[in-house]
Amino acid sequence: MVHLYYDSKTGNVQRFINKVIQITGWQAHKIEESLEIQESGHLVTYTTKLGSMPEKTKMFMDNHAEKIYSVTSSGNRNWGRNFGLAADKVSEDYDIPLAMKFELSGTMEDINQFIEIIKHQYNDSKRGSKKLDIA
């Protein structure tokens, strides 16, 4: 079973996650201060303040980075080079592979690409493999 841990502020990541779990049946867990994770999984977050990692995501990663296989982030292409920059920051700060970036709540193509990436590249993989970084 694939576990997804996600942070959503405006609902874009929530909508993306809802579509993914509807298609796959994977388990999704919204990041809250009290969330304690038992299973390793994948992080999906958002980019805020023109390129920053959300504070809740940072606190989650400070406590659980060793159980996260990959990071994916939403963003807005209007931000230019800051598009989805939270994923780059998580990847760099916690040495976690960057799976992909998507705009706003993602298209069906983005959702299918994410599912394929997780199924074929990261399902039950070990942390530290940078083999994907295609974003």
Side-chain angles (χ1 to χ4, degrees):
M1 174 61 65
V2 174
H3 291 267
L4 304 174
Y5 299 95
Y6 71 97
D7 197 357
S8 185
K9 181 177 182 178
T10 64
N12 284 328
V13 173
Q14 177 76 59
R15 284 188 289 280
F16 180 85
I17 290 292
N18 288 345
K19 292 173 193 167
V20 169
I21 62 174
Q22 183 178 17
I23 293 168
T24 63
W26 294 344
Q27 294 290 312
H29 313 274
K30 187 169 185 177
I31 296 173
E32 302 290 345
E33 276 187 50
S34 61
L35 178 64
E36 289 297 323
I37 70 172
Q38 304 301 316
E39 301 291 333
S40 295
H42 306 273
L43 173 67
V44 182
T45 190
Y46 63 96
T47 301
T48 190
K49 298 179 184 169
L50 296 176
S52 296
M53 179 191 328
E55 189 58 36
K56 203 184 300 185
T57 296
K58 182 176 179 355
M59 289 175 19
F60 174 80
M61 290 304 295
D62 286 346
N63 293 318
H64 303 290
E66 72 282 353
K67 290 189 175 183
I68 300 301
Y69 293 138
S70 71
V71 60
T72 295
S73 180
S74 72
N76 189 320
R77 293 193 191 280
N78 289 340
W79 294 354
R81 64 187 179 126
N82 291 336
F83 168 69
L85 201 55
D88 298 304
K89 291 182 179 183
V90 169
S91 179
E92 184 176 316
D93 291 355
Y94 300 97
D95 193 31
I96 293 171
L98 170 59
M100 67 175 283
K101 298 176 185 180
F102 60 91
E103 187 168 26
L104 304 174
S105 60
T107 63
M108 278 312 297
E109 183 177 332
D110 294 329
I111 290 159
N112 290 328
Q113 180 183 10
F114 175 78
I115 291 167
E116 289 303 307
I117 288 169
I118 300 305
K119 279 170 53 176
H120 297 295
Q121 299 292 331
Y122 287 111
N123 193 23
D124 299 324
S125 69
K126 301 297 179 209
R127 265 193 77 228
S129 170
K130 296 273 185 174
K131 65 184 174 186
L132 190 60
D133 290 347
I134 62 168

